[in-house]
C-alpha cells in the first residue's frame, strides 16, 4: 500500500509525536505531512529524518514562533494536502488533521488524541485563562471557536474509522461527533525504567506549567503537608508556581530524560493532579516502581489499579490530594514493585504496535470487502 501519515504540526517531541513515531516505524515507506515543520535537528530522529510535506502555513510571517495563532486557517490548510496517490491515510488528530480530504477508494483512519478541548467543553476555561472572557477580542475568539466547532463536526465524517487514545477520549468523541471509536492506548517507553531501586522520602511531579495541569494544587497540598516535593517542568506559569512554593518544594525546571528517570525510580510516589486525555508520565512512574496519586477523572485514571498501583483522589482540590498522600504516609496502603511494573507493561510500545497493526489490517480487509468499519 501507498501510505500517508498526517500530523498537525511538528515542533516538539511530546505524547502525540510518540504515537506518530511508532506509526512511522510500522510504515517506514510512508510519506509524512504536517501543517508546519519546525523540528530542531536533534529531534528529527523520531521521524527517521524523513522529508516532511508542509502546508502554506509554513511560509506565513512569524510562523516559526506563532504558528498556533494561525489556528483559524488550519482547516483550510489541511484540506489543501493532495493525497490522491495513497491507498491508506492515517491522521494523527488533536486539532484539524482528521479533516484531510480523501476519495471513496482510499481508507482514512484517524488516531484521535483528543477532540479540540478549547473549542468544546473547555472553551470557557480557555477564555478565562487567556484573559479573553470579555471585550472585542473575546467576541472575535468566540466567533472563531464557533466556526471551528461547525467545521470539526463536519470533518469528523471524513475518516472511515476512529481510534481513541483512552476510554475517556472515546466518550468525548461520542459526545462531540456521535461516532464510536476503538481504544488503543498510546505507546509508553517503559524499558527506560527500573522498578527495583530503593525508594526515597520525596514525592515527585513532572508537568508543563499551564493552568489545566494544576501544578498549583500539588504545591498547595505539600505546603500543608510539609513533606518534600520535587517539581520538574517549565512553562508560562513559572512565576506563579515559584511564588507559591514553600521551603520543602524544590523546583528543578526542565530536566533531561536521565534526571527524570532517576527521580522516578527513587521517589516515594508520583503526583498527577491534571484531567488528561491519557497521561504518559503516570505510566512511566509505575514502570519505575513508583505508586501514583492521580485525579480520578480523565484518561490517566484508566492506567491505575486503585489500592494496588496507586490512589485516585476524588475532587481537584488540595484537601483531597492531601488525604491521599496521608494514606501513603500512614502505611494504610502498600505497593509491590513487581505489580507496578506489570501494570505499566500493559501500555508498552510492543503492545501498541500489535494492536495498531491488527486494527489497520482488519479495517483494510473490511474496506476492501465493501463492509462498513463501524
Amino acid at each position: 500500500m501507498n501510505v500517508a501519515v498526517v500530523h498537525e504540526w511538528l515542533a516538539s517531541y511530546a505524547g502525540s509525536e510518540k504515537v506518530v513515531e511508532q506509526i512511522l516505524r510500522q510504515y517506514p515507506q510512508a510519506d509524512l505531512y504536517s501543517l508546519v515543520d519546525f523540528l530542531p535537528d536533534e529531534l528529527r530522529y523520531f521521524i527517521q529524518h524523513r522529508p516532511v510535506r508542509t502546508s502554506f502555513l509554513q511560509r506565513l510571517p512569524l510562523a516559526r514562533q506563532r504558528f498556533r495563532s494561525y489556528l483559524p486557517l488550519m482547516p483550510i490548510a489541511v484540506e489543501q494536502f493532495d493525497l490522491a496517490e495513497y491507498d491508506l491515510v492515517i491522521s494523527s488528530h488533536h486539532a484539524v488533521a482528521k479533516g484531510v480530504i480523501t476519495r471513496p477508494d482510499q481508507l482514512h483512519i484517524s488516531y484521535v488524541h483528543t477532540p479540540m478541548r478549547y473549542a468544546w467543553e473547555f472553551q470557557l476555561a480557555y477564555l478565562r485563562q487567556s484573559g479573553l472572557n470579555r471585550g472585542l477580542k473575546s467576541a472575535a475568539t468566540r466567533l472563531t471557536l464557533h466556526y471551528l466547532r461547525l467545521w470539526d463536526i463536519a470533518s469528523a465524517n471524513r475518516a472511515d474509522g476512529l481510534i481513541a487514545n483512552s476510554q475517556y477520549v472515546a466518550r468525548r468523541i461520542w459526545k462531540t461527533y456521535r461516532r464510536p471509536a476503538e481504544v488503543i492506548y498510546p505507546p509508553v517507553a517503559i524499558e527506560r525504567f527500573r522498578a527495583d531501586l530503593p525508594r526515597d522520602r520525596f514525592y515527585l511531579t513532572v508537568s508543563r506549567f499551564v493552568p489545566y495541569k494544576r501544578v498549583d494544587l500539588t504545591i498547595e497540598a505539600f505546603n500543608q503537608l510539609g513533606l518534600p516535593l520535587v517539581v520538574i517542568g517549565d512553562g508560562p506559569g513559572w512565576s506563579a508556581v515559584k511564588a507559591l512554593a514553600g521551603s520543602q518544594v524544590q523546583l528543578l525546571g526542565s530536566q533531561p530524560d536521565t534526571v527524570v528517570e532517576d527521580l522516578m525510580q527513587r521517589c516515594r510516589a508520583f503526583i498527577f493532579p491534571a484531567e488528561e486525555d491519557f497521561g504518559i508520565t503516570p505510566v512511566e512512574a509505575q514502570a519505575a516502581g513508583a505508586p501514583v496519586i492521580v485525579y480520578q477523572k480523565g484518561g490517566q485514571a484508566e492506567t491505575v489499579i486503585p489500592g494496588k498501583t496507586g490512589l485516585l483522589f476524588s475532587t481537584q482540590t488540595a484537601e483531597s490530594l492531601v488525604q491521599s498522600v496521608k494514606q501513603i504516609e500512614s502505611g494504610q496502603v502498600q505497593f509491590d514493585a513487581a505489580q507496578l511494573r506489570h501494570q505499566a507493561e500493559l501500555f508498552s510500545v510492543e503492545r501498541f504496535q500489535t494492536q495498531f497493526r491488527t486494527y489497520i489490517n482488519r479495517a483494510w480487509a473490511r474496506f476492501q470487502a465493501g463492509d462498513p468499519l463501524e
Side-chain angles (χ1 to χ4, degrees), residues 66-279:
R66 304 191 63 183
F67 63 85
R68 290 177 180 84
S69 300
Y70 289 116
L71 177 64
L73 296 178
M74 289 183 182
I76 299 171
V78 82
E79 290 176 345
Q80 306 313 306
F81 284 142
D82 183 0
L83 305 174
E85 64 184 283
Y86 302 102
D87 306 299
L88 171 64
V89 176
I90 301 170
S91 59
S92 164
H93 172 87
H94 57 74
V96 299
K98 69 173 176 19
V100 293
I101 296 174
T102 56
R103 299 190 313 269
D105 60 340
Q106 295 173 291
L107 176 62
H108 175 196
I109 302 297
S110 187
Y111 189 100
V112 181
H113 307 281
T114 178
M116 280 190 281
R117 283 171 159 262
Y118 39 85
W120 291 100
E121 68 267 41
F122 295 96
Q123 174 194 212
L124 297 180
Y126 163 74
L127 292 170
R128 284 194 301 270
Q129 293 163 9
S130 303
L132 294 170
N133 51 334
R134 62 181 62 189
L136 288 177
K137 285 187 177 180
S138 174
T141 303
R142 290 170 193 266
L143 184 62
T144 299
L145 294 176
H146 173 72
Y147 149 71
L148 285 173
R149 282 191 293 273
L150 295 176
W151 181 88
D152 196 29
I153 291 175
S155 64
N157 289 316
R158 295 180 187 174
D160 298 291
L162 301 178
I163 302 173
N165 70 350
S166 65
Q167 297 290 348
Y168 173 69
V169 167
R171 291 192 295 271
R172 292 180 59 227
I173 288 171
W174 176 256
K175 181 71 174 181
T176 306
Y177 308 135
R178 286 295 189 252
R179 290 195 61 185
E182 179 146 338
V183 175
I184 300 178
Y185 290 109
V188 183
I190 61 172
E191 69 281 353
R192 298 162 44 206
F193 302 93
R194 290 181 58 182
D196 58 349
L197 297 180
R199 315 310 301 184
D200 286 343
R201 294 288 302 171
F202 69 91
Y203 291 76
L204 175 68
T205 190
V206 179
S207 177
R208 288 185 294 117
F209 294 173
V210 292
Y212 88 93
K213 294 289 189 178
R214 298 310 311 270
V215 180
D216 60 321
L217 186 156
T218 301
I219 292 177
E220 286 178 28
F222 279 83
N223 284 344
Q224 293 181 34
L225 290 161
L227 294 171
L229 172 70
V230 175
V231 181
I232 294 177
D234 203 347
W238 172 268
S239 297
V241 168
K242 186 176 181 181
L244 188 62
S247 59
Q248 81 293 345
V249 177
Q250 187 178 7
L251 301 178
L252 299 186
S254 295
Q255 293 292 322
D257 288 346
T258 52
V259 173
V260 175
E261 291 160 14
D262 174 62
L263 294 175
M264 279 187 172
Q265 290 167 164
R266 294 190 293 111
C267 68
R268 185 165 175 80
F270 184 83
I271 311 298
F272 194 87
E275 181 182 342
E276 271 288 7
D277 301 310
F278 173 68

Side-chain angles (χ1 to χ4, degrees), residues 6-10 33-38 52-59 67 70-71 73-81 95-97:
V6 182
H7 190 53
E8 263 109 10
W9 49 75
L10 291 167
Y33 289 77
S34 178
L35 295 176
V36 296
D37 174 19
F38 297 122
V52 179
R53 305 184 186 191
T54 58
S55 74
F56 66 83
L57 298 182
Q58 182 85 15
R59 301 180 295 278
F67 63 85
Y70 289 116
L71 177 64
L73 296 178
M74 289 183 182
I76 299 171
V78 82
E79 290 176 345
Q80 306 313 306
F81 284 142
V96 299

Side-chain angles (χ1 to χ4, degrees), residues 321-339:
L321 176 55
V322 163
Q323 295 307 310
S324 292
V325 175
K326 284 182 175 179
Q327 288 186 58
I328 292 180
E329 286 294 305
S330 67
Q332 285 181 252
V333 287
Q334 301 290 326
F335 301 98
D336 177 68
Q339 187 169 26

